[in-house]
Amino acid sequence: MNNPPATPSAGGVQPLTGQVLFYQQPQPLSPEEHGGLGVKQISDPFGFLRQAHAVPVTVTEFGLAAASYPIIFVGNERTPVAVMGVRQGENLFVDAQGRVPDDHYVPAFVRRYPFVFAADDASDRLVLCVDRAAPMVSNQPEVPFFENGQPTKFTNDAVEFCKEFERQRRATADFVKMLTDLDLMEQKTVAFQPRDAQGNPVGDQQKIADYYAISEERLNALPDDKYLELRNNGAVGACYAHLVSLLNWPKIIQRAMRVQAAEAPAAV
């Protein structure tokens, strides 16, 4: 896909296919279909994130995300994700008011919502779309998408943000390919031991996830020329940020256990 992303325009775009996390009703943004729409402040700003226990991150975010979450690689494409929960459908970092604590990083994948780029197969371009079902999208907006048929500054800023996200997504794919070509990935498993209120083991260990991670041993064993190649590509810092991020596993498990303990009386 070599053509540049498209800015909001008239209709004619083919229906979208596929699913992306969070997006329930993505539609190509156009003044004809969305001229009266925009966004408004809502009381539950990150409510849509509440059921996502893992969120994709780009390689440029590793340093920031590593301070808060384990970063792991998942699936056949070994997509890097920030782990925000240990149970499917449960995010441990979204509070009852739909907010993420100020001292925890919010990935760009989340911050771009309700916008997303989608492929228009007819023109081989990326088209800006909006999730029409997003709670902040309104027909009584505080900030409109269009004025006099033209994108507002807010919409143009959204286009630029999504363009940058797409560039970083492609850079991340290149980073993962580099790691794969150098055979730096290894499979890992993380589990935890349930304990009672007195700290005594209860039942069997519970597996949280199977995932891929960079092998520090393989990284350190790279020939000098291959290590320099990684360094010159700016990849070494991201590799070590990922390795450091894995130290967050105990923290996120403890956070999950605190949540479960708080839920226990209500379940009785």
Side-chain angles (χ1 to χ4, degrees), residues 81-105:
V81 298
V83 179
M84 303 181 75
V86 299
R87 293 189 295 188
Q88 190 83 24
E90 179 185 67
N91 191 308
L92 297 169
F93 295 88
V94 180
D95 64 20
Q97 289 73 44
R99 301 181 185 277
V100 176
D102 290 341
D103 56 346
H104 287 83
Y105 178 70

Side-chain angles (χ1 to χ4, degrees), residues 19 26-27 85 92 131 134 140 143 157 169 174 192 194 252 257:
Q19 291 184 332
Q27 300 174 351
L92 297 169
D131 185 1
Q140 295 181 316
V143 181
D157 287 346
R169 185 195 65 79
D174 291 341
F192 78 99
I252 200 168
M257 294 178 72

Side-chain angles (χ1 to χ4, degrees), residues 139-182:
N139 58 8
Q140 295 181 316
E142 296 172 13
V143 181
F145 292 145
F146 298 94
E147 288 181 347
N148 301 319
Q150 297 299 315
T152 60
K153 181 181 184 301
F154 173 80
T155 300
N156 285 329
D157 287 346
V159 171
E160 292 305 314
F161 188 92
C162 289
K163 282 182 181 178
E164 180 58 28
F165 182 87
E166 178 64 16
R167 284 191 286 268
Q168 297 304 331
R169 185 195 65 79
R170 295 182 184 188
T172 303
D174 291 341
F175 170 72
V176 170
K177 183 178 186 304
M178 196 184 316
L179 300 180
T180 304
D181 290 347
L182 291 171

Side-chain angles (χ1 to χ4, degrees), residues 54-133:
V55 174
V57 288
T58 63
V59 65
T60 55
E61 298 180 279
F62 278 24
L64 291 167
S68 299
Y69 322 106
I71 299 170
I72 63 175
F73 299 86
V74 298
N76 293 333
E77 296 184 356
R78 304 187 183 185
T79 302
V81 298
V83 179
M84 303 181 75
V86 299
R87 293 189 295 188
Q88 190 83 24
E90 179 185 67
N91 191 308
L92 297 169
F93 295 88
V94 180
D95 64 20
Q97 289 73 44
R99 301 181 185 277
V100 176
D102 290 341
D103 56 346
H104 287 83
Y105 178 70
V106 178
F109 188 96
V110 176
R111 287 182 283 119
R112 71 175 177 169
Y113 189 76
F115 299 103
V116 65
F117 272 142
D120 175 14
D121 294 334
S123 63
D124 193 28
R125 301 184 76 187
L126 291 175
V127 176
L128 185 70
C129 297
V130 65
D131 185 1
R132 183 62 185 87

